[in-house]
Amino acid sequence: MLKKFLPDEFFKDIFQIKPEDLKARGIRGVITDLDNTLVAWDCLIAPPEIIDWLSGMQEAGIHVTIVSNNNKLRVRAFSEPIQIPFIAKANKPLGNAFRRALKLMGTRKEETVVIGDQLLTDIFGGNRMGLHTILVIPVATSDAKITSFNRKLEAKIMARLKRRGLITWEE
Protein backbone atom coordinates (compact mmCIF):
# COMPACT_ATOMS: atom_id res chain seq x y z
CA MET A 1 0.00 0.00 0.00
CA LEU A 2 2.83 2.41 0.81
CA LYS A 3 4.06 2.24 -2.79
CA LYS A 4 0.78 3.81 -3.97
CA PHE A 5 2.12 7.07 -2.49
CA LEU A 6 5.46 6.81 -4.29
CA PRO A 7 5.76 9.04 -7.37
CA ASP A 8 7.38 7.69 -10.51
CA GLU A 9 9.50 10.82 -10.76
CA PHE A 10 10.44 13.86 -8.70
CA PHE A 11 11.34 17.37 -9.90
CA LYS A 12 11.96 20.54 -7.92
CA ASP A 13 9.41 22.41 -10.04
CA ILE A 14 7.39 22.12 -13.23
CA PHE A 15 9.99 24.06 -15.22
CA GLN A 16 12.29 21.04 -15.04
CA ILE A 17 9.63 19.03 -16.88
CA LYS A 18 10.37 19.66 -20.55
CA PRO A 19 7.89 19.06 -23.36
CA GLU A 20 10.55 17.54 -25.60
CA ASP A 21 11.39 14.96 -22.92
CA LEU A 22 7.74 14.05 -22.44
CA LYS A 23 7.15 13.86 -26.19
CA ALA A 24 10.19 11.61 -26.65
CA ARG A 25 8.60 9.19 -24.14
CA GLY A 26 5.33 9.15 -26.04
CA ILE A 27 3.48 11.44 -23.63
CA ARG A 28 0.55 13.27 -25.22
CA GLY A 29 -1.27 14.50 -22.14
CA VAL A 30 -0.54 16.23 -18.83
CA ILE A 31 -2.96 16.29 -15.93
CA THR A 32 -1.67 18.94 -13.57
CA ASP A 33 -2.75 20.17 -10.20
CA LEU A 34 -3.15 23.92 -9.77
CA ASP A 35 -2.57 25.07 -6.20
CA ASN A 36 1.07 24.95 -5.10
CA THR A 37 1.96 22.97 -8.23
CA LEU A 38 1.62 25.65 -10.92
CA VAL A 39 1.19 28.68 -8.65
CA ALA A 40 0.74 29.49 -4.97
CA TRP A 41 -2.68 28.43 -3.68
CA ASP A 42 -3.75 32.06 -3.33
CA CYS A 43 -2.43 33.28 -6.72
CA LEU A 44 -5.37 34.16 -8.96
CA ILE A 45 -3.68 34.67 -12.33
CA ALA A 46 -1.06 32.82 -14.32
CA PRO A 47 2.32 34.56 -14.32
CA PRO A 48 4.18 34.80 -17.65
CA GLU A 49 6.53 31.89 -16.88
CA ILE A 50 3.57 29.55 -16.30
CA ILE A 51 1.91 30.73 -19.51
CA ASP A 52 5.20 30.07 -21.36
CA TRP A 53 5.48 26.56 -19.84
CA LEU A 54 1.90 25.72 -20.77
CA SER A 55 2.39 27.15 -24.28
CA GLY A 56 5.52 25.03 -24.70
CA MET A 57 3.53 21.92 -23.88
CA GLN A 58 0.79 22.84 -26.33
CA GLU A 59 3.30 23.72 -29.07
CA ALA A 60 4.82 20.26 -28.62
CA GLY A 61 1.38 18.73 -29.17
CA ILE A 62 0.88 17.83 -25.52
CA HIS A 63 -2.59 18.44 -24.12
CA VAL A 64 -2.81 19.93 -20.64
CA THR A 65 -5.77 19.79 -18.26
CA ILE A 66 -5.82 21.32 -14.80
CA VAL A 67 -7.46 19.01 -12.27
CA SER A 68 -8.00 20.67 -8.91
CA ASN A 69 -9.85 19.93 -5.72
CA ASN A 70 -10.48 23.65 -5.35
CA ASN A 71 -13.82 25.24 -6.18
CA LYS A 72 -14.97 26.04 -9.72
CA LEU A 73 -14.82 29.81 -9.26
CA ARG A 74 -11.14 29.73 -8.28
CA VAL A 75 -10.06 27.23 -10.93
CA ARG A 76 -12.08 28.91 -13.69
CA ALA A 77 -10.65 32.36 -12.80
CA PHE A 78 -7.15 30.95 -13.31
CA SER A 79 -7.78 28.66 -16.29
CA GLU A 80 -10.16 30.51 -18.60
CA PRO A 81 -7.96 33.56 -19.33
CA ILE A 82 -5.17 31.25 -20.50
CA GLN A 83 -7.59 28.88 -22.25
CA ILE A 84 -6.56 25.72 -20.41
CA PRO A 85 -9.27 23.11 -19.84
CA PHE A 86 -9.97 22.37 -16.19
CA ILE A 87 -11.85 20.13 -13.82
CA ALA A 88 -12.67 21.68 -10.45
CA LYS A 89 -13.92 20.01 -7.27
CA ALA A 90 -12.11 16.92 -8.51
CA ASN A 91 -12.26 14.94 -5.28
CA LYS A 92 -8.74 13.61 -5.78
CA PRO A 93 -7.57 10.96 -5.06
CA LEU A 94 -10.80 9.46 -6.39
CA GLY A 95 -10.57 8.46 -10.04
CA ASN A 96 -13.50 10.17 -11.73
CA ALA A 97 -11.73 13.47 -12.47
CA PHE A 98 -8.67 11.64 -13.84
CA ARG A 99 -10.92 9.61 -16.17
CA ARG A 100 -12.70 12.80 -17.26
CA ALA A 101 -9.36 14.47 -18.01
CA LEU A 102 -8.20 11.51 -20.12
CA LYS A 103 -11.43 11.65 -22.11
CA LEU A 104 -11.21 15.43 -22.49
CA MET A 105 -7.66 15.19 -23.84
CA GLY A 106 -8.28 12.06 -25.90
CA THR A 107 -5.29 10.31 -24.36
CA ARG A 108 -4.70 6.85 -22.94
CA LYS A 109 -3.24 6.15 -19.50
CA GLU A 110 0.13 5.11 -20.87
CA GLU A 111 0.56 8.43 -22.71
CA THR A 112 -0.48 10.69 -19.84
CA VAL A 113 1.34 12.00 -16.76
CA VAL A 114 -0.01 13.48 -13.55
CA ILE A 115 1.94 16.37 -12.01
CA GLY A 116 1.26 17.51 -8.47
CA ASP A 117 2.68 18.64 -5.16
CA GLN A 118 0.71 16.33 -2.85
CA LEU A 119 1.18 12.64 -2.16
CA LEU A 120 -2.32 12.13 -0.73
CA THR A 121 -4.24 13.60 -3.66
CA ASP A 122 -2.21 13.93 -6.86
CA ILE A 123 0.27 11.07 -6.56
CA PHE A 124 -1.99 8.57 -4.79
CA GLY A 125 -4.85 9.36 -7.19
CA GLY A 126 -2.66 9.09 -10.29
CA ASN A 127 -1.05 5.87 -9.10
CA ARG A 128 -4.44 4.31 -8.32
CA MET A 129 -5.44 5.05 -11.92
CA GLY A 130 -2.25 3.52 -13.35
CA LEU A 131 -0.93 6.88 -14.58
CA HIS A 132 2.70 8.00 -14.54
CA THR A 133 3.10 10.38 -11.58
CA ILE A 134 5.47 13.29 -11.05
CA LEU A 135 5.88 14.98 -7.68
CA VAL A 136 7.07 18.59 -7.48
CA ILE A 137 7.99 20.67 -4.45
CA PRO A 138 5.14 23.02 -3.49
CA VAL A 139 5.72 26.53 -4.88
CA ALA A 140 4.60 28.17 -1.62
CA THR A 141 5.26 27.31 2.00
CA SER A 142 1.73 28.23 3.07
CA ASP A 143 -1.36 26.14 2.37
CA ALA A 144 -5.11 26.19 2.73
CA LYS A 145 -6.26 24.63 6.03
CA ILE A 146 -7.17 21.20 4.68
CA THR A 147 -3.88 21.00 2.80
CA SER A 148 -1.93 21.84 5.96
CA PHE A 149 -3.47 18.77 7.59
CA ASN A 150 -2.56 16.64 4.57
CA ARG A 151 1.05 17.87 4.67
CA LYS A 152 1.47 16.47 8.19
CA LEU A 153 0.31 13.05 7.01
CA GLU A 154 2.50 13.31 3.92
CA ALA A 155 5.58 14.05 6.04
CA LYS A 156 5.02 10.78 7.89
CA ILE A 157 4.53 8.86 4.63
CA MET A 158 7.68 10.44 3.13
CA ALA A 159 9.68 9.48 6.23
CA ARG A 160 8.53 5.86 5.89
CA LEU A 161 9.34 5.83 2.17
CA LYS A 162 12.82 7.18 2.93
CA ARG A 163 13.44 4.67 5.74
CA ARG A 164 12.55 1.83 3.35
CA GLY A 165 14.94 3.19 0.73
CA LEU A 166 12.17 3.89 -1.78
CA ILE A 167 13.05 7.57 -2.19
CA THR A 168 16.35 8.18 -3.94
CA TRP A 169 16.20 11.95 -4.43
CA GLU A 170 17.04 14.83 -2.15
CA GLU A 171 14.67 17.76 -1.70
Side-chain angles (χ1 to χ4, degrees), residues 52-106:
D52 290 345
W53 184 83
L54 291 166
S55 295
M57 290 293 170
Q58 291 173 322
E59 289 168 11
I62 298 172
H63 303 280
V64 178
T65 299
I66 294 173
V67 175
S68 174
N69 282 349
N70 211 324
N71 66 67
K72 191 173 185 176
L73 186 64
R74 188 276 189 271
V75 183
R76 176 187 283 150
F78 181 90
S79 302
E80 280 188 349
I82 57 174
Q83 300 178 331
I84 296 293
F86 68 92
I87 297 169
K89 297 188 98 169
N91 294 317
K92 296 178 288 183
L94 300 179
N96 190 44
F98 293 106
R99 284 188 287 277
R100 285 177 49 207
L102 290 169
K103 186 174 182 179
L104 187 66
M105 294 186 294

Side-chain angles (χ1 to χ4, degrees), residues 3-168:
K3 287 189 178 184
K4 288 285 186 189
F5 295 100
L6 185 66
D8 294 305
E9 293 183 86
F10 170 79
F11 290 97
K12 290 192 185 275
D13 59 47
I14 60 156
F15 304 111
Q16 293 184 328
I17 303 168
K18 307 290 186 197
E20 57 272 13
D21 296 338
L22 294 178
K23 191 149 179 101
R25 293 174 19 203
I27 301 300
R28 295 183 45 242
V30 169
I31 296 170
T32 183
D33 178 48
L34 173 58
D35 297 322
N36 280 348
T37 297
L38 296 179
V39 295
W41 67 276
D42 56 354
C43 178
L44 299 178
I45 60 169
E49 59 271 16
I50 294 296
I51 294 171
D52 290 345
W53 184 83
L54 291 166
S55 295
M57 290 293 170
Q58 291 173 322
E59 289 168 11
I62 298 172
H63 303 280
V64 178
T65 299
I66 294 173
V67 175
S68 174
N69 282 349
N70 211 324
N71 66 67
K72 191 173 185 176
L73 186 64
R74 188 276 189 271
V75 183
R76 176 187 283 150
F78 181 90
S79 302
E80 280 188 349
I82 57 174
Q83 300 178 331
I84 296 293
F86 68 92
I87 297 169
K89 297 188 98 169
N91 294 317
K92 296 178 288 183
L94 300 179
N96 190 44
F98 293 106
R99 284 188 287 277
R100 285 177 49 207
L102 290 169
K103 186 174 182 179
L104 187 66
M105 294 186 294
T107 60
R108 298 184 318 266
K109 290 179 183 181
E110 57 273 10
E111 55 191 17
T112 307
V113 299
V114 174
I115 303 170
D117 69 302
Q118 289 190 66
L119 293 179
L120 293 176
T121 56
D122 309 308
I123 303 306
F124 182 55
N127 285 343
R128 286 180 67 228
M129 287 291 301
L131 298 162
H132 187 88
T133 54
I134 301 173
L135 180 68
V136 296
I137 294 174
V139 298
T141 55
S142 66
D143 283 304
K145 281 186 181 181
I146 185 66
T147 306
S148 295
F149 176 76
N150 284 353
R151 296 272 185 225
K152 290 175 185 168
L153 293 174
E154 288 178 353
K156 291 178 182 187
I157 293 168
M158 279 288 233
R160 288 185 74 191
L161 289 169
K162 284 180 183 178
R163 277 195 308 274
R164 293 191 179 180
L166 297 173
I167 291 180
T168 57

